[in-house]
Amino acid sequence: MKMICINCPRGCELDVEQTADGTVTVTGNACPRGEDYGRSELVNPTRMVTGLVRVAGLRKPLPVKTKTAIPKGKIDATLFALHQTTVQLPVKIGDVIIPDVAGTGVDIVATANM
Ligand code: SF4
């Protein structure tokens, strides 16, 4: 599988392969971070998710994000959880808005003070 490493602007083109015994090989990376990236993209791809949630009594929404990356397969459930959520003010940056979103073990946190 070909992919581009997104860990730095160099954008190395990686070739990631998995053999029948499960061994993953990564080539094309100029540094160890590329090998880690290629391996995780093949075995368990993850992404940070950002979004907005409604604020009770205001038209302006609250910007939020996952505290750490979550599995790509949980992104839709996470976005649905954001859509279903309304927060009460006040909120500070870093406050947990949704704990353990979509069963990922990762919290949704505020990225603004309101
Ligand atoms: S492999 Fe290393 S040098 Fe290449 S894009 Fe990834 S982080 Fe940058």
Side-chain angles (χ1 to χ4, degrees), residues 5-12 14 28-35:
C5 178
I6 59 172
N7 281 314
C8 85
R10 185 166 172 170
C12 293
L14 308 179
N29 53 303
C31 78
R33 290 170 60 200
E35 182 172 355

Side-chain angles (χ1 to χ4, degrees), residues 3 6 12 28 31 48 64 70 72 81 84 95 97 101:
M3 63 181 74
I6 59 172
C12 293
C31 78
M48 295 292 291
V64 296
I70 62 168
K72 276 178 80 174
Q84 298 295 105
D95 281 357
I97 305 302
V101 67

